[in-house]
Amino acid sequence: MLAARRRLLYMLLVLALGSGALAVTKMAAWWVVVPSTIMLLGYTGMLREASKADAERRELARTRAAAAAAVAAARRDAAPVPAAPSTPPPPVPEAEVIDISASLISAGQEFYDQYADAKLRAVGD
């Protein structure tokens, strides 16, 4: 991630320097420098916020690691707790499966297949 950020920063620097060189040599108008400068300034602002977020993430990871170490030390130093007797899980109710195909055949009906008679129908029917 850092390599991609650095690569884009260098690309924007080259773009700003190149547009500045074109403006100084009068090969381009002065306003050619404005877009590249705005992009460079915006990207440096974004990099600053990203570095703050990275620092916060590192601090949070350090805090979590310290808390996990403290919990592990407390568990290690604490007397073992006897295991509570486990109760069996409640029985799972069984589902009733209803077979609807048998009721349709006994009634003399069939499932409708919308593609079965596609060749017999005209368009728009």
Side-chain angles (χ1 to χ4, degrees), residues 65-79:
V71 167
R75 283 185 185 165
R76 197 178 29 213
D77 295 340

Side-chain angles (χ1 to χ4, degrees), residues 47-65:
L47 283 179
R48 183 174 182 202
E49 293 300 319
S51 68
K52 287 180 184 178
D54 290 343
E56 288 174 4
R57 195 174 301 127
R58 281 191 301 270
E59 183 62 32
L60 181 62
R62 262 190 241 122
T63 305
R64 285 184 181 170

Side-chain angles (χ1 to χ4, degrees), residues 98-124:
I98 301 172
D99 186 17
I100 62 169
S101 61
S103 65
L104 286 177
I105 293 174
S106 66
Q109 297 177 354
E110 294 182 20
F111 286 115
Y112 177 70
D113 185 5
Q114 63 179 352
Y115 300 109
D117 59 346
K119 295 179 182 176
L120 302 176
R121 297 184 308 179
V123 176

Side-chain angles (χ1 to χ4, degrees), residues 76-96:
R76 197 178 29 213
D77 295 340
V81 177
S86 63
T87 59
V92 179
E94 293 188 24
E96 179 184 353

